[in-house]
Amino acid sequence: MDILNLEGTEDTPKIILDKGNGIYEISGRSLPEDSAEFYQPVLDWISEYSGSPNPSTEFMFKLEYFNTASSKLILDVLSALEDIDGVTIIWYFHEDDEDMEEAGEEFSELVEIPFEFKTY
């Protein structure tokens, strides 16, 4: 399976989806001009991955900021992961960023996936 590796910019998050090395991470700032277009390769990759996932998948979100349009796509990513056995979400937030902590808690209530919350 191909690795999805997108370099982050001021407006788009860094994304690494690497089944072979067990790295699944979305980090940085997410306010792309077209969120649906930006996240489509991620959703496509998860769809392919769901056909033969690793026994466990720790999917990391380490976002500093995301806009409203991105939040819908983040939920789409989480919903796609919901269908895969062995997935855990690791939601990182800066220790004094209550908004990002609350966002993670809200996402965790919308999907049936275990969440772990960690500060950095």
Side-chain angles (χ1 to χ4, degrees), residues 7-14 27-32 64-66:
E7 281 301 316
T9 68
E10 279 186 22
D11 296 334
T12 60
K14 177 178 182 175
S27 59
R29 295 167 48 85
S30 182
L31 46 153
E64 297 165 21
Y65 174 81
F66 59 86

Side-chain angles (χ1 to χ4, degrees), residues 83-96:
D83 298 331
I84 301 172
D85 290 334
V87 171
T88 302
I89 303 300
I90 313 294
W91 187 271
Y92 285 91
F93 58 94
H94 198 272
E95 59 190 348
D96 56 6

Side-chain angles (χ1 to χ4, degrees), residues 74-86:
I74 291 167
L75 183 57
D76 289 351
V77 168
L78 292 169
S79 296
L81 291 168
E82 202 170 17
D83 298 331
I84 301 172
D85 290 334

Side-chain angles (χ1 to χ4, degrees), residues 106-118:
E106 289 173 14
F107 283 127
S108 75
E109 292 167 7
L110 295 171
V111 292
E112 297 292 322
I113 305 175
F115 269 65
E116 291 178 23
F117 296 92
K118 297 187 178 183

Side-chain angles (χ1 to χ4, degrees), residues 4-111:
L4 181 63
N5 187 351
L6 303 175
E7 281 301 316
T9 68
E10 279 186 22
D11 296 334
T12 60
K14 177 178 182 175
I15 297 178
I16 302 174
L17 301 176
D18 180 349
K19 178 182 177 180
N21 291 305
I23 300 168
Y24 316 93
E25 183 174 333
I26 298 177
S27 59
R29 295 167 48 85
S30 182
L31 46 153
E33 273 187 40
D34 185 339
S35 294
E37 182 181 331
F38 179 80
Y39 280 96
Q40 192 57 53
V42 176
L43 295 167
D44 292 344
W45 191 95
I46 292 169
S47 176
E48 183 181 345
Y49 177 74
S50 68
S52 66
N54 290 345
S56 69
T57 304
E58 286 194 347
F59 203 104
M60 289 184 284
F61 286 87
K62 202 173 196 176
L63 294 166
E64 297 165 21
Y65 174 81
F66 59 86
N67 62 7
T68 306
S70 292
S71 68
K72 158 89 172 77
L73 274 298
I74 291 167
L75 183 57
D76 289 351
V77 168
L78 292 169
S79 296
L81 291 168
E82 202 170 17
D83 298 331
I84 301 172
D85 290 334
V87 171
T88 302
I89 303 300
I90 313 294
W91 187 271
Y92 285 91
F93 58 94
H94 198 272
E95 59 190 348
D96 56 6
D97 188 349
E98 291 178 12
D99 291 341
M100 194 56 71
E101 181 180 11
E102 287 173 13
E105 289 168 357
E106 289 173 14
F107 283 127
S108 75
E109 292 167 7
L110 295 171
V111 292

